[in-house]
Amino acid sequence: MLLFRPVWTTALYIGVNQTSLSRLQLVQNAAARLLTGTRKHEHITPILASLHWLPVYFRIHFKILLFVFKSLNGLAPQYISELLHIYTPSRSLRSGDQLRLNVPKTRLKTRGDRSFSAVAPKLWNDLPRHIKGMCVKTVSEPGKQKVFVNICQSNSVPLPPELSREELVELLQSEDPSGFRVPMSLGEPHAEVDNNSQGCTAYDVVINQEFFQKCQMDPLFQQFVILVSLEGLENKYNLELSRDWKVLKNRKFLGSVSEQNIRTKSRPVIQELQPQESSTVIAKRPQFTLLVEPPAGDPEYLIAEINLPGVPSSRSLVLDVGEDRLVVTARPSLFHLDIFHPFIIHQENSVAQYNNSTQILTVTMPVVSS
């Protein structure tokens, strides 16, 4: 009975300051200790988990997301469903099939930002599109830097061809095991901190959910998918990773798993042409930095700083700003950058400036939603 009223009205606490939430959390902790007979100085997290109680902060988000799910599936009252609107891009985007919601603009921070029509789309759009699976620890060669690989699962990734255990053994013993392809999405590296408060690098790899479950049931398939993931990261990022890896038992991931744009359609077939005598210059991928302003809280601007050494002026640049894509080409065939970012930005209000002295292109893009 102690928790009846807080649990029933948790959605009303969204946007409440941290001091008030801490007081509610103390009430929940005291109730959990009373029910389980736990001492005051024992850690509360396992106690809440044993009771299947979400902490207050996560319970608030859970209730709001539950309302969103019911609204999208016709299970909520009409007056709630009318507050949500599905985001429809003006052109075909890779994020167009991810069931995102429009985030309305609000005027008042203390009231407008706390409304269901504003909070619910933000929480829904921030949900990860793939499920965390297992975390593999290894080191890079030759520097022995710690590297963690988060192997995740998603139905957005195609299922590889059917492969039995006997066929896998025969494949691994063959001279050319590269004939079998495992579809996967390889994410960008992100800096994290391990349990010893030391810096490390983490990568996210997403494979098909059904194939992941199959690998979890058979150690041979698990070793195979780890090996394929490491080889994929080595080929993409020019790495050398140790094969003396370790699967962490009590950790499914390290850091925050970033959302990835997963291609659901295969690339067109590329015909191999014979090299001609006249050589062509291949455009290089320039170095760039993505910044979010303000650094904390809801992002208002996404700023891209792109280094373009050797580009004389902005007349040599071709810039294409999409809703979730940025394409920059420096003619003639000097640089080419084509990236997708996890934000929906306002194309018409985006501005760009090229500094001839520093040879840096700065693109400032207002963020509509993330």
Side-chain angles (χ1 to χ4, degrees):
M1 297 298 293
L2 274 173
L3 289 181
F4 176 78
R5 185 174 301 273
V7 169
W8 181 255
T9 60
T10 42
L12 299 178
Y13 295 122
I14 188 68
V16 172
N17 59 62
Q18 187 61 40
T19 302
S20 300
L21 286 181
S22 299
R23 293 173 181 173
L24 289 174
Q25 189 61 57
L26 290 176
V27 174
Q28 186 187 48
N29 295 349
R33 297 184 193 278
L34 178 64
L35 290 176
T36 58
T38 307
R39 297 178 181 179
K40 181 178 180 179
H41 298 289
E42 293 187 23
H43 204 284
I44 192 62
T45 302
I47 302 172
L48 295 178
S50 65
L51 294 172
H52 300 283
W53 288 2
L54 285 173
V56 174
Y57 176 81
F58 296 104
R59 177 73 182 179
I60 295 171
H61 288 194
F62 169 76
K63 291 293 289 186
I64 293 178
L65 289 171
L66 182 61
F67 282 135
V68 176
F69 176 81
K70 290 184 177 181
S71 299
L72 296 178
N73 290 275
L75 303 175
Q78 184 177 359
Y79 69 90
I80 293 182
S81 302
E82 290 176 350
L83 299 174
L84 303 176
H85 304 280
I86 297 178
Y87 170 74
T88 304
S90 58
R91 59 186 178 88
S92 179
L93 301 174
R94 290 198 290 180
S95 59
D97 59 348
Q98 294 182 357
L99 196 59
R100 291 179 173 271
L101 299 177
N102 273 328
V103 181
K105 294 184 178 180
T106 57
R107 294 183 179 180
L108 301 177
K109 290 286 184 180
T110 56
R111 296 183 181 179
D113 285 358
R114 292 184 57 189
S115 63
F116 177 80
S117 60
V119 172
K122 290 180 181 179
L123 295 178
W124 181 264
N125 293 342
D126 288 340
L127 285 176
R129 306 298 166 181
H130 45 268
I131 305 174
K132 299 160 185 175
M134 64 178 173
C135 183
V136 180
K137 176 183 177 182
T138 184
V139 295
S140 62
E141 301 288 355
K144 300 296 181 181
Q145 299 292 328
K146 288 184 181 180
V147 174
F148 293 85
V149 181
N150 300 315
I151 300 181
C152 311
Q153 48 186 318
S154 173
N155 286 326
S156 300
V157 179
L159 182 69
E162 183 64 28
L163 184 68
S164 64
R165 198 176 198 278
E166 292 74 17
E167 292 173 336
L168 177 58
V169 173
E170 183 178 351
L171 176 68
L172 295 176
Q173 294 176 350
S174 63
E175 296 181 357
D176 185 19
S178 60
F180 184 82
R181 301 282 183 175
V182 179
M184 59 178 55
S185 176
L186 304 175
E188 297 288 335
H190 48 98
E192 301 292 345
V193 179
D194 61 9
N195 290 337
N196 298 325
S197 300
Q198 296 180 353
C200 59
T201 305
Y203 296 87
D204 304 329
V205 178
V206 188
I207 63 174
N208 179 267
Q209 187 172 2
E210 181 179 341
F211 185 67
F212 178 86
Q213 298 299 331
K214 181 178 182 180
C215 295
Q216 291 292 88
M217 294 185 293
D218 192 324
L220 181 61
F221 274 90
Q222 185 185 77
Q223 298 291 317
F224 172 66
V225 76
I226 294 175
L227 179 61
V228 172
S229 300
L230 296 181
E231 290 180 349
L233 293 173
E234 289 177 333
N235 294 333
K236 182 175 182 178
Y237 297 109
N238 194 22
L239 302 172
E240 185 177 351
L241 300 176
S242 172
R243 294 302 186 263
D244 185 16
W245 66 69
K246 178 183 179 181
V247 179
L248 304 184
K249 295 182 179 180
N250 299 323
R251 184 186 286 270
K252 299 295 184 181
F253 67 98
L254 181 74
S256 57
V257 179
S258 58
E259 182 179 346
Q260 300 184 30
N261 291 314
I262 300 174
R263 181 181 291 107
T264 56
K265 296 182 180 180
S266 59
R267 291 179 179 269
V269 177
I270 301 176
Q271 181 181 2
E272 182 177 357
L273 301 178
Q274 297 295 331
Q276 300 178 356
E277 295 181 359
S278 59
S279 59
T280 58
V281 180
I282 301 177
K284 298 180 181 179
R285 180 184 174 94
Q287 295 183 353
F288 67 94
T289 304
L290 293 179
L291 305 173
V292 175
E293 290 291 342
D298 295 333
E300 297 181 3
Y301 294 94
L302 175 65
I303 302 174
E305 295 181 351
I306 307 169
N307 296 323
L308 300 171
V311 176
S313 67
S314 59
R315 297 180 180 179
S316 304
L317 299 177
V318 177
L319 175 63
D320 183 12
V321 178
E323 291 179 327
D324 65 347
R325 185 179 182 183
L326 180 64
V327 181
V328 178
T329 303
R331 298 175 295 185
S333 301
L334 289 178
F335 297 100
H336 180 72
L337 178 65
D338 187 353
I339 57 174
F340 286 85
H341 49 76
F343 299 97
I344 302 300
I345 60 98
H346 199 296
Q347 299 168 259
E348 297 180 356
N349 292 344
S350 299
V351 295
Q353 183 178 11
Y354 183 68
N355 191 320
N356 292 334
S357 59
T358 61
Q359 296 184 330
I360 294 179
L361 174 66
T362 303
V363 185
T364 304
M365 299 163 281
V367 175
V368 177
S369 64
S370 57

